């Protein structure tokens, strides 16, 4: 439910943020799918205008998830191999890009689909080192596996595909699960734990956000991601803006059991209130004009008061001088 | 393949160990099932005579495994709950006893069997807090679970029983697998990792021994276990000594797919070479007598040499005196 919004008005005492600033939610992103909503200043993070809107809209879930999963579980030196399934998901595309940026080798598994060569090219263009369909990966011979064995597996699929992936992992590697797209459980042979020394863990962004909300660790990560996005090193996943009126189309795309649409829909609330926004803009003008008037009026009163005070002081001085002469 | 042996003879330069000392192997315990074997002094650990032989024989695998699994994975303060399956295995019985000694609460699951009440009593007597058959455990309602949720699960069974156990774990708990008695894989729902934040790891004693061989950590643990055994705080699992001639009986017990025998067989090599040992004892006597003789002989030579030297010195002194008089 992530999204990016623009500040229409700030409350008293809010100095860190101003009208027209772009913000994303810092905690659980509930309420970001609205045309107008009220938040506490501490609940939002300011996004530099240089960050493209389509990246800002998805940053707080997919990019953060990718960043944390590549950072928090395994010490990954440059050249280390990372394997992931569901590699063309929004999160998967972020994983590919961060791997590329950080000098990691990404091995990516996607589901087969009619236009799979196009998808492969798209992921390679993003920075993927290897892309396999599930069938191609299943046909790989463990003995002939020509990569350094991955120290980290990122899993959003589960089921037999993950079980197969385990055979290729380095001893002592970690498997991080963040989704279950296959609707099948995670199954591993006993030997994966005893002899291969694998560790299975999970990642849940909600828990991470609760633990790290308003903490330096989160702030420095967000600044890093803003910087990378602003400079064009991080790209939004394949996407399409859909006006909110057509939200059904967007939801159908997302909920389709096949999920092979190939792009993410970004709900666009901008047009929705275009008329009302004009009114708001007018109101804002009137309000600003009134505020100006008020400031002028207060200024005039203050000036009059000041003149009064100065006159009184002058009078007192003259009086004292007269006393001195006597 | 663990076992305990007695030193028959030590090589030159070995001062730390002597004839008659009891020892266990420090590395992988291969070769301990022999009536006579040759080891490097660094490959054995001396066991105090106060440690009962039936404990010493099993200490190096089962007790060490239990100790490490309760120590290396989760910080367990007193009162913390630990759940295990296969609780009546030799390792399981050690886990129960160490939990009791360290103030942990053990929840134990065993397979049903004809004399199950007897087995339950035996485990309770060892210090188990709760003992369930698999059927009883499966019938427990998660909602009505009346324990503090366990932070550690020790698994040597796998299959559906482990999957069921996951429902009772505390958030953030760890599952350590050290066996696969059910011959079924480990299956967990995706939610166990994402929402319940569980960690799955494995323990393999061989790897631990390779990592910690001849290190202080291992030495201090062994001394702790020797002390506990010598003082009667640690008991050997239910067992029976079987003369080596009857090894088939012992193996059949162990390999029985039912594995419900209720006691561990300890192979006894002591009788096997009783006759030969008498011969060895004789040989040892002769050797010792010879050594004594040799020492005497060398002593006599040394005495003669010394007398010679003293005489010569006396002669020189007299000569010098004579010179002085001149």
């Amino acid at each position: 439910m992530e999204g990016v919004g623009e500040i229409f008005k700030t409350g008293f005492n809010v100095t860190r943020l101003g009208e027209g600033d772009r913000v994303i939610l810092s905690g659980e992103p509930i309420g970001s799918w609205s045309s107008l909503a009220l938040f506490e200043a501490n609940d939002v993070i300011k996004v530099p205008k240089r960050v493209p809107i389509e990246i800002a809209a998805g940053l707080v879930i997919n990019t953060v998830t990718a960043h944390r999963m590549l950072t928090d579980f395994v010490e990954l030196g440059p050249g280390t191999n990372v394997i992931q399934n569901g590699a063309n998901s929004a999160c998967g595309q972020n994983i590919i890009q961060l791997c590329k940026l950080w000098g990691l080798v990404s091995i990516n598994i996607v589901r087969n689909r009619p236009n799979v060569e196009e998808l492969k090219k798209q992921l390679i263009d993003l920075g993927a080192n290897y892309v396999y369909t599930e069938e191609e990966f299943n046909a790989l011979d463990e003995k002939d596996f020509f990569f350094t064995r991955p120290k980290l597996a990122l899993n959003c699929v589960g089921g037999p595909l993950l079980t197969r992936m385990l055979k290729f992992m380095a001893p002592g590697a970690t498997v991080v699960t963040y989704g279950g797209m296959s609707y099948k459980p995670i199954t591993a042979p006993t030997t994966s734990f005893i002899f291969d020394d694998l560790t299975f863990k999970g990642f849940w962004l909600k828990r991470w956000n609760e633990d790290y909300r308003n903490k330096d660790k989160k702030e420095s990560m967000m600044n890093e991601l803003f910087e990378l996005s602003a400079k064009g090193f991080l790209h939004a996943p394949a996407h399409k803006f859909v006006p909110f009126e057509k939200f059904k189309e967007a939801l159908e795309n997302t909920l389709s059991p096949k999920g092979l649409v190939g792009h993410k829909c970004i709900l666009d609330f901008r047009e929705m209130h275009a008329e009302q926004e004009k009114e708001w803009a007018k109101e804002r003008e009137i309000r600003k004009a009134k505020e100006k008037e008020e400031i002028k009026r207060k200024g005039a009163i203050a000036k009059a008061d000041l003149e009064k005070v100065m006159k009184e002081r002058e009078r007192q001085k003259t009086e004292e001088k007269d006393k001195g002469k006597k």
Side-chain angles (χ1 to χ4, degrees), chain A:
Chain A
M1 311 294 170
E2 71 271 67
V4 60
E6 208 169 287
I7 293 183
F8 169 61
K9 186 157 167 44
T10 56
F12 303 109
N13 302 327
V14 177
T15 52
R16 204 171 48 83
L17 300 159
E19 283 173 15
D21 278 352
R22 277 197 193 140
V23 289
I24 55 183
L25 290 174
S26 67
E28 209 183 349
I30 284 180
S32 45
W33 285 12
S34 332
S35 56
L36 196 64
L38 190 67
F39 296 105
E40 294 281 330
N42 275 336
D43 289 345
V44 299
I45 300 170
K46 188 170 161 174
V47 186
K49 278 265 166 67
R50 300 172 299 141
V51 177
I53 200 169
E54 65 274 16
I55 297 186
L59 204 67
V60 80
I61 290 189
N62 295 311
T63 318
V64 168
T65 299
H67 189 292
R68 294 317 334 160
M69 292 200 300
L70 288 171
T71 311
D72 290 347
F73 295 92
V74 176
E75 193 82 46
L76 297 168
T80 315
N81 288 23
V82 174
I83 192 167
Q84 68 162 331
N85 53 36
N88 59 315
S89 72
C91 185
Q93 291 185 46
N94 277 293
I95 289 165
I96 289 170
Q97 295 181 78
L98 288 176
C99 279
K100 174 84 176 176
L101 280 165
W102 295 342
L104 308 171
V105 176
S106 69
I107 302 157
N108 301 280
I109 308 169
V110 298
R111 275 180 297 176
N112 203 358
R113 60 197 73 210
N115 58 343
V116 73
E117 288 309 319
E118 199 180 300
L119 174 64
K120 280 185 180 184
K121 192 186 170 307
Q122 182 200 324
L123 298 184
I124 297 275
D125 287 347
L126 271 183
N129 297 84
Y130 302 93
V131 186
Y132 297 106
T133 64
E134 294 187 1
E135 291 72 17
E136 287 166 348
F137 181 75
N138 286 335
L140 276 181
D141 194 328
E142 195 192 336
K143 292 196 305 294
D144 304 331
F145 194 59
F146 48 92
F147 313 116
T148 313
R149 287 174 169 265
K151 281 169 85 176
L152 180 65
L154 302 175
N155 165 48
C156 66
V157 174
L161 175 63
L162 178 68
T163 311
R164 173 86 188 145
M165 285 164 69
L166 301 180
K167 291 191 191 298
F168 295 87
M169 302 304 294
T174 296
V175 176
V176 179
T177 290
Y178 68 104
M181 270 169 46
S182 70
Y183 296 103
K184 283 177 187 146
I186 287 161
T187 299
T190 295
T191 53
S192 288
F193 299 107
I194 302 182
F195 302 137
D196 300 340
D197 195 22
L198 298 189
T199 297
F200 280 30
K201 302 208 61 116
F203 180 79
W204 191 21
L205 185 64
K206 186 178 189 304
R207 187 171 49 240
W208 193 87
N209 273 331
E210 278 163 11
D211 291 349
Y212 287 97
R213 198 171 171 183
N214 296 334
K215 293 221 171 116
D216 289 349
K217 190 173 179 175
K218 178 156 185 180
E219 201 184 315
S220 76
M221 171 188 65
M222 293 311 296
N223 288 338
E224 183 188 346
L225 294 177
F226 292 150
E227 206 51 33
L228 289 173
S229 312
K231 288 190 176 154
F233 289 126
L234 262 183
H235 302 275
H239 64 278
K240 186 180 153 186
F241 281 98
V242 178
F244 183 66
E245 286 83 355
K246 295 187 180 167
F247 72 89
K248 272 191 185 167
E249 178 197 319
L251 285 179
E252 273 161 14
N253 248 356
T254 302
L255 297 176
S256 142
K258 283 191 171 174
L260 299 174
V261 179
H263 63 259
K264 221 177 152 66
C265 291
I266 300 179
L267 289 178
D268 194 340
F269 294 84
R270 284 174 295 188
E271 289 305 307
M272 194 186 171
H273 290 300
E275 281 309 307
Q276 189 166 1
E277 262 174 23
K278 273 181 204 159
E279 253 173 62
W280 286 338
K282 253 188 240 161
E283 270 175 34
R284 187 159 22 175
E285 284 307 306
I286 294 168
R287 186 160 46 78
K288 278 192 174 163
K290 270 190 186 161
E291 279 171 7
K292 244 181 177 169
E293 203 63 37
E294 182 70 8
I295 287 165
K296 242 190 202 165
R297 200 178 62 82
K298 280 188 177 161
I301 293 171
K303 209 181 156 195
D305 285 352
L306 188 67
E307 278 169 3
K308 231 178 179 172
V309 169
M310 295 302 283
K311 258 185 194 161
E312 174 62 13
R313 194 168 293 174
E314 210 59 38
R315 199 192 56 77
Q316 283 176 354
K317 272 187 186 166
T318 319
E319 208 177 277
E320 271 164 32
K321 263 185 196 167
D322 288 352
K323 270 185 191 167
K325 278 178 188 165
K326 277 181 187 169

